[in-house]
Amino acid sequence: MAKIPTSRVDKLLSSMGYGSRSEMVHMAKAGGITLDGAELSDVSKRIPVTRDLPARIQIDGEPLDPVVGMVILLNKPLGMTCSHKEAGALVYDILPQRWKRRDPAISTIGRLDKQTSGLLLLTDDGDLLHRVISPRRHVKKTYRAKLARPLGGTEGDLFASGQLMLEGEDKPLAPAELEVVSDTEALLSVTEGRYHQVRRMFAATGNHVEDLHRERLGGLSLPDGLAPGQWKLLSEDEIALIFQ
Ligand code: URA
């Protein structure tokens, strides 16, 4: 069985963005940190870093944030960028501010364009991130595309052929599945994550994507009640759905 890692409380809280280690000492002295209901004055205490810590530790009366290994599902709104450093509105601005100071950092699992909405995952778990984006895993990403012009009727066969070469590339796209919803709307499922892939696929057929929204990632769907800009933490079972 894997050994459970331990950490000093001040180091753990600091790595979770609550403040510097000396600030944690002051916070504890002021009675702001409790462990299992009792005030914790000695933040040099080592504790096992387990997923149940938010139920055991309170900071200023609030449950501790999730420990490392969290996966966030965000309904990405239009107009926000999946970047840590670009100018303008960033998807990270939606999350609690102190999460920007977490170490390991929270990153998006792949990216959606600024003008693409829908299911976006973020995590501080580097191994999980690489498993989801690895082309070898073939995790299917399903997009709803609204098009400027009616579909011609041959797009499904072309996308499924494994022969479509995007402009400026030297390797054809892996086969993708098209489900026609109406003349100007379709669901497209791809297993790769090339730059602007869906928009460029339709552009290769002489069409133009006016509206792009990601609905599914593997077996995970965007929950109905999650409005644009809202997010939730995924359970272990929900994380497992990604690979189904
Ligand atoms: N394909 C695109 O063109 N844009 C995205 O954001 C995702 C896939």
Side-chain angles (χ1 to χ4, degrees), residues 111-113 116 143 194-200 212:
R111 288 181 171 211
L112 291 177
D113 301 338
T116 301
Y143 296 86
R194 300 202 204 177
Y195 183 66
H196 292 334
Q197 180 168 339
V198 173
R199 294 176 199 276
R200 290 164 75 208
L212 192 59

Side-chain angles (χ1 to χ4, degrees), residues 66 85 92 121 126 204 219 243:
K85 44 180 188 277
Y92 301 100
L121 298 182
F243 300 103

Side-chain angles (χ1 to χ4, degrees), residues 48-187:
V49 182
T50 50
R51 283 185 170 272
D52 68 346
L53 281 188
R56 298 181 56 206
I57 295 183
Q58 292 209 326
I59 309 290
D60 286 336
E62 296 292 327
L64 183 73
D65 291 336
V67 295
V68 67
M70 66 164 141
V71 183
I72 302 152
L73 186 160
L74 168 69
N75 185 353
K76 179 191 172 294
L78 293 174
M80 295 197 116
T81 308
C82 295
S83 160
H84 281 287
K85 44 180 188 277
E86 275 174 48
L90 309 179
V91 291
Y92 301 100
D93 297 337
I94 293 175
L95 302 175
Q97 282 303 295
R98 67 171 166 270
W99 291 12
K100 287 187 181 168
R101 298 190 294 270
R102 283 178 67 117
D103 179 18
I106 296 172
S107 299
T108 62
I109 302 185
R111 288 181 171 211
L112 291 177
D113 301 338
K114 188 172 178 183
Q115 290 311 335
T116 301
S117 57
L119 194 163
L120 180 69
L121 298 182
L122 301 100
T123 189
D124 57 0
D125 180 342
D127 287 344
L128 178 81
L129 188 153
H130 287 111
R131 274 190 290 136
V132 180
I133 63 174
S134 163
R136 278 180 290 122
R137 291 268 176 174
H138 303 292
V139 174
K140 208 198 265 187
K141 294 158 272 256
T142 302
Y143 296 86
R144 184 174 294 272
K146 295 193 179 151
L147 304 164
R149 289 177 272 286
L151 289 156
T154 54
E155 293 86 349
D157 286 345
L158 177 65
F159 293 165
S161 68
Q163 309 278 312
L164 176 59
M165 190 83 85
L166 291 178
E167 216 176 292
E169 300 207 356
D170 55 11
K171 190 170 167 260
L173 290 173
E177 287 166 36
L178 185 78
E179 188 188 322
V180 175
V181 177
S182 76
D183 261 13
T184 54
E185 186 171 334
L187 293 170

